[in-house]
Amino acid sequence: MTEKAWDTSYEWKAVTLLTLGFGLVGLDRWIVAPLFPAILKDLHLNYQDIGNIVAALGLAWGFFAIVGGGLSDRLGRKRVLIPAIVVFSLLSGISGLTQGLLSLVLIRAIMGVSEGTFCPTSFATVNDASKPSRRGFNLGLQQSTFPLFGLALGPILATQLLQVVSWRWVFVLVAVPGLILAVLLAITIREPHELKVRPPGHEGGERAPLGDVLRHRNVWVGMIGLFCAMCGIFTISAMMPNYLTDYLKLSTTQMGFVTSAIGFGGFLGQMVMPGISDLVGRKIVAVLGFLIGAIFVYIFMHTGPEPLKLFTLLFVAAFFPFGLLGLITGPIAAEAAPRGLVSSTTGIIVGSGEIFGGGIAPAIAGTIAQHFGIQYTLMMALAGLCLGVVVCLFLHETAPRRIAGGRRVRASQPAETGARSLE
């Protein structure tokens, strides 16, 4: 396959629009976190309620990521992408109309259904459009806007808007861009069979049986690894605003500044780490990412109310776990997929990680915060990252350059040496 044969123009159009789309997913999902202090006061909620609100969306996201991934492999990318982005945008605005815990949990859960459906389908669509040598970079770029919009710009936007409007209007305002983007996606996105060059897994022939998805070791490792990464970063993301204001006694403005480090660090991590894995390999990047992330979470836990220092530590602590999200749900999932089942494979990995890391873990963190103190939720995040180090030691290397390099080395060796290397 030559560079000329690849439709680079469509590649960058699709990647750009879906990068913006996933950024809006992040904004609609996480704009609620910096609003929690105001929501708790207005609706008379507690820390356990925070965990349950976050968990409701995460659990729904997880279950429907599995379903949505399979649907797009069968019905087509656009038939899943467009309705999903319209629905989660509308529901984000409707969140501002809630009058109590039950209605807010219900709205956020239904939002999780549409966002969970959008997620693996958008990853598969970027994979379809991407030249294999740019797959890791493109998937990382797409996912990098999730923390940038949701956890970097979101806290700043929310805390500034709260100076002039209520938290209800903040939800309404962030819903509008998604509806505009839905129109642009409908005009631009192509199905795999409409591309000039068929993407990997769509070259022709029937799709592999769905049962083949679980035969690749990296699918199982990816499911557990994603749970570990999400347990770390989503627990921190959900509880950080209240940790900073209630435990460290920072002001609302200081809280918004420090919390934005999660998004800025996550944005850079998701952009950089999958791209680096194109060069040095998926496995080494995954193992080191979990290890370094855990170290910086530990240091953050033992830092006092110093906003600049907290921002710096949280930036690095978020860089690696969010980079791992992009790596595992992007190139690792795509390269483990059987023929014609990229979206299904991604959906299973994302869904499993979301159910436990994005759903159950925040609910447990809410219980810990309510009964023992919000500061102890960071211990749960640290434990998840430490477990991830061990899990990723079992990854099978799939980066195209690393595999090709290994083949060239083995081919250049004498037969006796090559035999020893295989042993």
Side-chain angles (χ1 to χ4, degrees), residues 85-114:
I85 193 171
V86 170
V87 171
F88 77 67
S89 297
L90 291 174
L91 287 170
S92 179
I94 294 172
S95 297
L97 303 177
T98 185
Q99 298 299 315
L101 175 62
L102 182 60
S103 58
L104 185 56
V105 167
L106 181 61
I107 290 169
R108 303 299 287 183
I110 301 174
M111 230 178 114
V113 171
S114 55

PDB file of all heavy atoms in Angstrom, residues 85-114:
ATOM      1  N   ILE A  85     -24.375  11.250  18.924  1.00  0.00           N
ATOM      2  CA  ILE A  85     -23.897  12.581  19.290  1.00  0.00           C
ATOM      3  C   ILE A  85     -25.067  13.548  19.489  1.00  0.00           C
ATOM      4  O   ILE A  85     -25.017  14.421  20.366  1.00  0.00           O
ATOM      5  CB  ILE A  85     -22.891  13.130  18.245  1.00  0.00           C
ATOM      6  CG1 ILE A  85     -22.177  14.364  18.801  1.00  0.00           C
ATOM      7  CG2 ILE A  85     -23.569  13.452  16.930  1.00  0.00           C
ATOM      8  CD1 ILE A  85     -21.026  14.842  17.935  1.00  0.00           C
ATOM      9  N   VAL A  86     -26.135  13.379  18.729  1.00  0.00           N
ATOM     10  CA  VAL A  86     -27.320  14.230  18.924  1.00  0.00           C
ATOM     11  C   VAL A  86     -27.933  13.975  20.294  1.00  0.00           C
ATOM     12  O   VAL A  86     -28.254  14.903  21.040  1.00  0.00           O
ATOM     13  CB  VAL A  86     -28.357  13.978  17.807  1.00  0.00           C
ATOM     14  CG1 VAL A  86     -29.679  14.661  18.146  1.00  0.00           C
ATOM     15  CG2 VAL A  86     -27.836  14.487  16.462  1.00  0.00           C
ATOM     16  N   VAL A  87     -28.074  12.700  20.660  1.00  0.00           N
ATOM     17  CA  VAL A  87     -28.732  12.357  21.924  1.00  0.00           C
ATOM     18  C   VAL A  87     -27.911  12.821  23.121  1.00  0.00           C
ATOM     19  O   VAL A  87     -28.454  13.434  24.056  1.00  0.00           O
ATOM     20  CB  VAL A  87     -28.990  10.838  21.995  1.00  0.00           C
ATOM     21  CG1 VAL A  87     -29.461  10.440  23.392  1.00  0.00           C
ATOM     22  CG2 VAL A  87     -30.042  10.435  20.968  1.00  0.00           C
ATOM     23  N   PHE A  88     -26.582  12.553  23.140  1.00  0.00           N
ATOM     24  CA  PHE A  88     -25.836  12.951  24.339  1.00  0.00           C
ATOM     25  C   PHE A  88     -25.705  14.467  24.454  1.00  0.00           C
ATOM     26  O   PHE A  88     -25.615  14.997  25.561  1.00  0.00           O
ATOM     27  CB  PHE A  88     -24.490  12.222  24.453  1.00  0.00           C
ATOM     28  CG  PHE A  88     -23.356  12.694  23.588  1.00  0.00           C
ATOM     29  CD1 PHE A  88     -22.772  13.941  23.762  1.00  0.00           C
ATOM     30  CD2 PHE A  88     -22.810  11.842  22.642  1.00  0.00           C
ATOM     31  CE1 PHE A  88     -21.698  14.352  22.982  1.00  0.00           C
ATOM     32  CE2 PHE A  88     -21.738  12.236  21.854  1.00  0.00           C
ATOM     33  CZ  PHE A  88     -21.178  13.500  22.029  1.00  0.00           C
ATOM     34  N   SER A  89     -25.745  15.166  23.341  1.00  0.00           N
ATOM     35  CA  SER A  89     -25.713  16.630  23.417  1.00  0.00           C
ATOM     36  C   SER A  89     -27.010  17.168  24.022  1.00  0.00           C
ATOM     37  O   SER A  89     -26.986  18.047  24.894  1.00  0.00           O
ATOM     38  CB  SER A  89     -25.495  17.221  22.022  1.00  0.00           C
ATOM     39  OG  SER A  89     -24.251  16.837  21.480  1.00  0.00           O
ATOM     40  N   LEU A  90     -28.143  16.640  23.557  1.00  0.00           N
ATOM     41  CA  LEU A  90     -29.426  17.076  24.108  1.00  0.00           C
ATOM     42  C   LEU A  90     -29.541  16.745  25.592  1.00  0.00           C
ATOM     43  O   LEU A  90     -30.009  17.558  26.398  1.00  0.00           O
ATOM     44  CB  LEU A  90     -30.570  16.415  23.337  1.00  0.00           C
ATOM     45  CG  LEU A  90     -30.777  16.879  21.892  1.00  0.00           C
ATOM     46  CD1 LEU A  90     -31.853  16.026  21.218  1.00  0.00           C
ATOM     47  CD2 LEU A  90     -31.165  18.355  21.846  1.00  0.00           C
ATOM     48  N   LEU A  91     -29.092  15.564  25.985  1.00  0.00           N
ATOM     49  CA  LEU A  91     -29.201  15.155  27.384  1.00  0.00           C
ATOM     50  C   LEU A  91     -28.281  15.967  28.287  1.00  0.00           C
ATOM     51  O   LEU A  91     -28.594  16.191  29.462  1.00  0.00           O
ATOM     52  CB  LEU A  91     -28.896  13.665  27.518  1.00  0.00           C
ATOM     53  CG  LEU A  91     -29.995  12.741  26.988  1.00  0.00           C
ATOM     54  CD1 LEU A  91     -29.507  11.297  26.947  1.00  0.00           C
ATOM     55  CD2 LEU A  91     -31.247  12.839  27.851  1.00  0.00           C
ATOM     56  N   SER A  92     -27.154  16.408  27.754  1.00  0.00           N
ATOM     57  CA  SER A  92     -26.279  17.272  28.540  1.00  0.00           C
ATOM     58  C   SER A  92     -27.010  18.549  28.912  1.00  0.00           C
ATOM     59  O   SER A  92     -26.953  19.009  30.059  1.00  0.00           O
ATOM     60  CB  SER A  92     -25.011  17.598  27.747  1.00  0.00           C
ATOM     61  OG  SER A  92     -24.165  18.461  28.485  1.00  0.00           O
ATOM     62  N   GLY A  93     -27.733  19.122  27.949  1.00  0.00           N
ATOM     63  CA  GLY A  93     -28.511  20.322  28.242  1.00  0.00           C
ATOM     64  C   GLY A  93     -29.639  20.058  29.212  1.00  0.00           C
ATOM     65  O   GLY A  93     -29.920  20.861  30.114  1.00  0.00           O
ATOM     66  N   ILE A  94     -30.284  18.895  29.060  1.00  0.00           N
ATOM     67  CA  ILE A  94     -31.402  18.555  29.941  1.00  0.00           C
ATOM     68  C   ILE A  94     -30.938  18.346  31.379  1.00  0.00           C
ATOM     69  O   ILE A  94     -31.721  18.493  32.323  1.00  0.00           O
ATOM     70  CB  ILE A  94     -32.132  17.301  29.391  1.00  0.00           C
ATOM     71  CG1 ILE A  94     -32.796  17.630  28.048  1.00  0.00           C
ATOM     72  CG2 ILE A  94     -33.173  16.782  30.369  1.00  0.00           C
ATOM     73  CD1 ILE A  94     -33.381  16.419  27.335  1.00  0.00           C
ATOM     74  N   SER A  95     -29.645  18.012  31.576  1.00  0.00           N
ATOM     75  CA  SER A  95     -29.117  17.857  32.938  1.00  0.00           C
ATOM     76  C   SER A  95     -29.355  19.105  33.777  1.00  0.00           C
ATOM     77  O   SER A  95     -29.489  19.029  35.001  1.00  0.00           O
ATOM     78  CB  SER A  95     -27.614  17.549  32.895  1.00  0.00           C
ATOM     79  OG  SER A  95     -27.353  16.323  32.255  1.00  0.00           O
ATOM     80  N   GLY A  96     -29.409  20.250  33.114  1.00  0.00           N
ATOM     81  CA  GLY A  96     -29.633  21.495  33.843  1.00  0.00           C
ATOM     82  C   GLY A  96     -31.051  21.664  34.353  1.00  0.00           C
ATOM     83  O   GLY A  96     -31.325  22.578  35.142  1.00  0.00           O
ATOM     84  N   LEU A  97     -31.963  20.798  33.929  1.00  0.00           N
ATOM     85  CA  LEU A  97     -33.353  20.900  34.368  1.00  0.00           C
ATOM     86  C   LEU A  97     -33.663  20.019  35.569  1.00  0.00           C
ATOM     87  O   LEU A  97     -34.773  20.044  36.090  1.00  0.00           O
ATOM     88  CB  LEU A  97     -34.293  20.510  33.212  1.00  0.00           C
ATOM     89  CG  LEU A  97     -34.150  21.310  31.907  1.00  0.00           C
ATOM     90  CD1 LEU A  97     -35.104  20.754  30.854  1.00  0.00           C
ATOM     91  CD2 LEU A  97     -34.405  22.790  32.147  1.00  0.00           C
ATOM     92  N   THR A  98     -32.696  19.222  35.999  1.00  0.00           N
ATOM     93  CA  THR A  98     -32.937  18.260  37.064  1.00  0.00           C
ATOM     94  C   THR A  98     -33.332  18.949  38.369  1.00  0.00           C
ATOM     95  O   THR A  98     -32.856  20.037  38.686  1.00  0.00           O
ATOM     96  CB  THR A  98     -31.692  17.378  37.289  1.00  0.00           C
ATOM     97  OG1 THR A  98     -31.992  16.373  38.240  1.00  0.00           O
ATOM     98  CG2 THR A  98     -30.531  18.207  37.795  1.00  0.00           C
ATOM     99  N   GLN A  99     -34.187  18.258  39.131  1.00  0.00           N
ATOM    100  CA  GLN A  99     -34.681  18.808  40.392  1.00  0.00           C
ATOM    101  C   GLN A  99     -34.249  17.996  41.614  1.00  0.00           C
ATOM    102  O   GLN A  99     -34.575  18.347  42.742  1.00  0.00           O
ATOM    103  CB  GLN A  99     -36.213  18.878  40.365  1.00  0.00           C
ATOM    104  CG  GLN A  99     -36.770  19.790  39.283  1.00  0.00           C
ATOM    105  CD  GLN A  99     -36.317  21.240  39.453  1.00  0.00           C
ATOM    106  OE1 GLN A  99     -36.342  21.771  40.555  1.00  0.00           O
ATOM    107  NE2 GLN A  99     -35.907  21.861  38.351  1.00  0.00           N
ATOM    108  N   GLY A 100     -33.529  16.888  41.388  1.00  0.00           N
ATOM    109  CA  GLY A 100     -33.107  16.068  42.516  1.00  0.00           C
ATOM    110  C   GLY A 100     -32.174  14.963  42.076  1.00  0.00           C
ATOM    111  O   GLY A 100     -31.839  14.834  40.892  1.00  0.00           O
ATOM    112  N   LEU A 101     -31.740  14.156  43.032  1.00  0.00           N
ATOM    113  CA  LEU A 101     -30.761  13.111  42.765  1.00  0.00           C
ATOM    114  C   LEU A 101     -31.268  12.098  41.744  1.00  0.00           C
ATOM    115  O   LEU A 101     -30.555  11.751  40.802  1.00  0.00           O
ATOM    116  CB  LEU A 101     -30.399  12.401  44.070  1.00  0.00           C
ATOM    117  CG  LEU A 101     -29.466  11.190  43.932  1.00  0.00           C
ATOM    118  CD1 LEU A 101     -28.115  11.608  43.366  1.00  0.00           C
ATOM    119  CD2 LEU A 101     -29.296  10.489  45.274  1.00  0.00           C
ATOM    120  N   LEU A 102     -32.489  11.597  41.911  1.00  0.00           N
ATOM    121  CA  LEU A 102     -32.993  10.546  41.041  1.00  0.00           C
ATOM    122  C   LEU A 102     -33.035  10.977  39.585  1.00  0.00           C
ATOM    123  O   LEU A 102     -32.603  10.240  38.690  1.00  0.00           O
ATOM    124  CB  LEU A 102     -34.392  10.113  41.502  1.00  0.00           C
ATOM    125  CG  LEU A 102     -35.030   8.966  40.700  1.00  0.00           C
ATOM    126  CD1 LEU A 102     -34.160   7.718  40.781  1.00  0.00           C
ATOM    127  CD2 LEU A 102     -36.442   8.683  41.208  1.00  0.00           C
ATOM    128  N   SER A 103     -33.544  12.170  39.327  1.00  0.00           N
ATOM    129  CA  SER A 103     -33.629  12.632  37.941  1.00  0.00           C
ATOM    130  C   SER A 103     -32.244  12.867  37.353  1.00  0.00           C
ATOM    131  O   SER A 103     -32.003  12.566  36.172  1.00  0.00           O
ATOM    132  CB  SER A 103     -34.472  13.908  37.851  1.00  0.00           C
ATOM    133  OG  SER A 103     -33.932  14.942  38.653  1.00  0.00           O
ATOM    134  N   LEU A 104     -31.300  13.368  38.174  1.00  0.00           N
ATOM    135  CA  LEU A 104     -29.946  13.606  37.668  1.00  0.00           C
ATOM    136  C   LEU A 104     -29.256  12.286  37.343  1.00  0.00           C
ATOM    137  O   LEU A 104     -28.589  12.153  36.309  1.00  0.00           O
ATOM    138  CB  LEU A 104     -29.134  14.399  38.695  1.00  0.00           C
ATOM    139  CG  LEU A 104     -27.722  14.831  38.256  1.00  0.00           C
ATOM    140  CD1 LEU A 104     -27.768  15.633  36.962  1.00  0.00           C
ATOM    141  CD2 LEU A 104     -27.051  15.642  39.354  1.00  0.00           C
ATOM    142  N   VAL A 105     -29.404  11.288  38.210  1.00  0.00           N
ATOM    143  CA  VAL A 105     -28.824   9.974  37.954  1.00  0.00           C
ATOM    144  C   VAL A 105     -29.420   9.367  36.684  1.00  0.00           C
ATOM    145  O   VAL A 105     -28.702   8.805  35.840  1.00  0.00           O
ATOM    146  CB  VAL A 105     -29.050   9.035  39.162  1.00  0.00           C
ATOM    147  CG1 VAL A 105     -28.732   7.587  38.782  1.00  0.00           C
ATOM    148  CG2 VAL A 105     -28.206   9.467  40.342  1.00  0.00           C
ATOM    149  N   LEU A 106     -30.730   9.482  36.511  1.00  0.00           N
ATOM    150  CA  LEU A 106     -31.397   8.918  35.336  1.00  0.00           C
ATOM    151  C   LEU A 106     -30.921   9.581  34.050  1.00  0.00           C
ATOM    152  O   LEU A 106     -30.604   8.909  33.061  1.00  0.00           O
ATOM    153  CB  LEU A 106     -32.906   9.066  35.485  1.00  0.00           C
ATOM    154  CG  LEU A 106     -33.755   8.499  34.337  1.00  0.00           C
ATOM    155  CD1 LEU A 106     -33.528   7.007  34.192  1.00  0.00           C
ATOM    156  CD2 LEU A 106     -35.247   8.796  34.571  1.00  0.00           C
ATOM    157  N   ILE A 107     -30.853  10.909  34.062  1.00  0.00           N
ATOM    158  CA  ILE A 107     -30.410  11.639  32.861  1.00  0.00           C
ATOM    159  C   ILE A 107     -28.974  11.278  32.516  1.00  0.00           C
ATOM    160  O   ILE A 107     -28.643  11.027  31.346  1.00  0.00           O
ATOM    161  CB  ILE A 107     -30.548  13.157  33.080  1.00  0.00           C
ATOM    162  CG1 ILE A 107     -32.029  13.554  33.118  1.00  0.00           C
ATOM    163  CG2 ILE A 107     -29.828  13.938  31.974  1.00  0.00           C
ATOM    164  CD1 ILE A 107     -32.274  14.969  33.580  1.00  0.00           C
ATOM    165  N   ARG A 108     -28.108  11.231  33.518  1.00  0.00           N
ATOM    166  CA  ARG A 108     -26.701  10.915  33.261  1.00  0.00           C
ATOM    167  C   ARG A 108     -26.541   9.469  32.790  1.00  0.00           C
ATOM    168  O   ARG A 108     -25.660   9.157  31.980  1.00  0.00           O
ATOM    169  CB  ARG A 108     -25.866  11.170  34.505  1.00  0.00           C
ATOM    170  CG  ARG A 108     -25.944  12.561  35.065  1.00  0.00           C
ATOM    171  CD  ARG A 108     -25.471  13.638  34.111  1.00  0.00           C
ATOM    172  NE  ARG A 108     -24.027  13.668  33.938  1.00  0.00           N
ATOM    173  CZ  ARG A 108     -23.380  14.552  33.193  1.00  0.00           C
ATOM    174  NH1 ARG A 108     -24.064  15.490  32.537  1.00  0.00           N
ATOM    175  NH2 ARG A 108     -22.072  14.527  33.094  1.00  0.00           N
ATOM    176  N   ALA A 109     -27.384   8.573  33.283  1.00  0.00           N
ATOM    177  CA  ALA A 109     -27.314   7.177  32.836  1.00  0.00           C
ATOM    178  C   ALA A 109     -27.692   7.060  31.358  1.00  0.00           C
ATOM    179  O   ALA A 109     -27.015   6.362  30.584  1.00  0.00           O
ATOM    180  CB  ALA A 109     -28.230   6.305  33.690  1.00  0.00           C
ATOM    181  N   ILE A 110     -28.762   7.742  30.960  1.00  0.00           N
ATOM    182  CA  ILE A 110     -29.162   7.702  29.548  1.00  0.00           C
ATOM    183  C   ILE A 110     -28.095   8.368  28.677  1.00  0.00           C
ATOM    184  O   ILE A 110     -27.825   7.939  27.549  1.00  0.00           O
ATOM    185  CB  ILE A 110     -30.533   8.375  29.351  1.00  0.00           C
ATOM    186  CG1 ILE A 110     -31.596   7.669  30.194  1.00  0.00           C
ATOM    187  CG2 ILE A 110     -30.940   8.350  27.883  1.00  0.00           C
ATOM    188  CD1 ILE A 110     -32.947   8.360  30.183  1.00  0.00           C
ATOM    189  N   MET A 111     -27.468   9.414  29.218  1.00  0.00           N
ATOM    190  CA  MET A 111     -26.348  10.029  28.521  1.00  0.00           C
ATOM    191  C   MET A 111     -25.228   9.022  28.291  1.00  0.00           C
ATOM    192  O   MET A 111     -24.592   8.984  27.225  1.00  0.00           O
ATOM    193  CB  MET A 111     -25.808  11.180  29.383  1.00  0.00           C
ATOM    194  CG  MET A 111     -25.654  12.489  28.631  1.00  0.00           C
ATOM    195  SD  MET A 111     -25.079  13.753  29.757  1.00  0.00           S
ATOM    196  CE  MET A 111     -23.486  14.027  29.060  1.00  0.00           C
ATOM    197  N   GLY A 112     -24.987   8.192  29.305  1.00  0.00           N
ATOM    198  CA  GLY A 112     -23.960   7.162  29.181  1.00  0.00           C
ATOM    199  C   GLY A 112     -24.271   6.168  28.078  1.00  0.00           C
ATOM    200  O   GLY A 112     -23.358   5.656  27.421  1.00  0.00           O
ATOM    201  N   VAL A 113     -25.544   5.888  27.864  1.00  0.00           N
ATOM    202  CA  VAL A 113     -25.940   4.986  26.775  1.00  0.00           C
ATOM    203  C   VAL A 113     -25.466   5.536  25.436  1.00  0.00           C
ATOM    204  O   VAL A 113     -24.852   4.832  24.626  1.00  0.00           O
ATOM    205  CB  VAL A 113     -27.476   4.795  26.761  1.00  0.00           C
ATOM    206  CG1 VAL A 113     -27.912   4.038  25.506  1.00  0.00           C
ATOM    207  CG2 VAL A 113     -27.935   4.055  28.018  1.00  0.00           C
ATOM    208  N   SER A 114     -25.742   6.812  25.177  1.00  0.00           N
ATOM    209  CA  SER A 114     -25.388   7.407  23.885  1.00  0.00           C
ATOM    210  C   SER A 114     -23.890   7.634  23.751  1.00  0.00           C
ATOM    211  O   SER A 114     -23.309   7.411  22.682  1.00  0.00           O
ATOM    212  CB  SER A 114     -26.148   8.727  23.684  1.00  0.00           C
ATOM    213  OG  SER A 114     -25.927   9.611  24.760  1.00  0.00           O
TER     214      SER A 114
END
